[in-house]
Amino acid sequence: MIIFKKTILALTGLFICIFLIAHLGANFLLLLPEEQARVMYNNYSSALRGNVFISVIAYINYACILFHVGYAIVVTRRNKAARNDRYLINHTSENSSWTSQNMMLLGAIIFCFIVIHMANFWFKVKIQGHHEDLYQMVIDLFKDPTYLAIYVIASLPLGLHLSHGVQSAFKTLGLYHHRYVGWMARISMAYALVIGCGFGIIPIILFFR
């Protein structure tokens, strides 16, 4: 049963990682010249809302986030009770970095940010029906120093969580051969740097532009 829970945790985490790549790619549109960015970002957003397949993927992602959080809590509590560890995937003796020991803390911070992010974007679009100019809505939010700080600060725990989580997910799924440990570590770190820095830097550029 515990193997099943670890597998679900790994699969949902990797699905979210794929979603983050697409999300960051869309955010890069915001860095284009203003008028071009406005047209392309609004057209992109409109196309997503009108695509049933994309809507299904989005809801799968929401479900993955909830399952990932739920299973992370369950397996971490069980692991802590059994071995007094803080994270299930790796034993402390194998990976005793601060990140590996505080994945739940990092995950909790990220989840809190997701709630804030959803309230400022998803809720306004899906519930309140703000579809007219999503580009301007994003820019206005990033011009708010408070939201900017929250967004930029959240990119740090996101990067840290990903740097360890991707490695752990591959190991759980049996794709972490000892001959390729170094490569997996570098790939995980590179991915975490791109995602973390990307989400953190874009708002700063938009704030000062």
Side-chain angles (χ1 to χ4, degrees):
M1 186 63 178
I2 193 64
I3 300 300
F4 171 78
K5 293 176 180 178
K6 291 171 65 175
T7 301
I8 294 297
L9 191 62
L11 290 174
T12 54
L14 290 177
F15 187 91
I16 295 168
C17 286
I18 296 173
F19 182 86
L20 287 174
I21 295 173
H23 189 7
L24 180 60
N27 281 11
F28 275 116
L29 293 176
L30 299 168
L31 298 181
L32 295 171
E34 182 175 349
E35 289 308 313
Q36 184 181 1
R38 186 184 304 275
V39 172
M40 293 187 66
Y41 190 82
N42 285 339
N43 287 343
Y44 166 82
S45 300
S46 178
L48 292 187
R49 291 195 305 274
N51 190 306
V52 175
F53 176 75
I54 296 299
S55 296
V56 171
I57 294 297
Y59 281 105
I60 291 175
N61 185 61
Y62 304 151
C64 282
I65 292 173
L66 294 177
F67 274 105
H68 192 76
V69 171
Y71 275 107
I73 293 172
V74 171
V75 298
T76 301
R77 290 182 62 182
R78 176 168 179 170
N79 185 68
K80 187 175 181 179
R83 302 193 303 269
N84 197 31
D85 290 338
R86 291 187 180 179
Y87 190 59
L88 177 63
I89 306 296
N90 286 341
H91 294 284
T92 303
S93 59
E94 297 173 338
N95 191 337
S96 57
S97 68
W98 183 91
T99 300
S100 67
Q101 297 300 305
N102 290 276
M103 288 293 280
M104 272 299 296
L105 172 62
L106 296 170
I109 296 172
I110 295 168
F111 184 74
C112 289
F113 169 73
I114 290 174
V115 173
I116 296 172
H117 185 63
M118 294 285 282
N120 282 280
F121 288 95
W122 185 89
F123 182 82
K124 290 181 178 180
V125 174
K126 295 291 186 179
I127 306 302
Q128 296 182 338
H130 293 287
H131 300 156
E132 295 80 10
D133 192 349
L134 295 186
Y135 169 82
Q136 192 60 51
M137 184 180 75
V138 173
I139 296 301
D140 289 343
L141 279 170
F142 286 152
K143 291 295 185 180
D144 181 342
T146 300
Y147 189 79
L148 173 71
I150 293 173
Y151 205 96
V152 173
I153 292 172
S155 66
L156 176 59
L158 174 63
L160 291 173
H161 193 82
L162 291 173
S163 67
H164 178 71
V166 172
Q167 296 182 67
S168 298
F170 281 121
K171 183 176 181 180
T172 297
L173 297 175
L175 304 174
Y176 200 80
H177 194 278
H178 66 88
R179 293 176 62 182
Y180 310 112
V181 169
W183 281 105
M184 284 296 182
R186 285 189 283 272
I187 291 171
S188 299
M189 182 59 68
Y191 171 80
L193 283 172
V194 170
I195 297 297
C197 292
F199 280 115
I201 291 174
I202 291 175
I204 295 175
I205 295 174
L206 294 175
F207 180 81
F208 288 104
R209 188 166 70 178

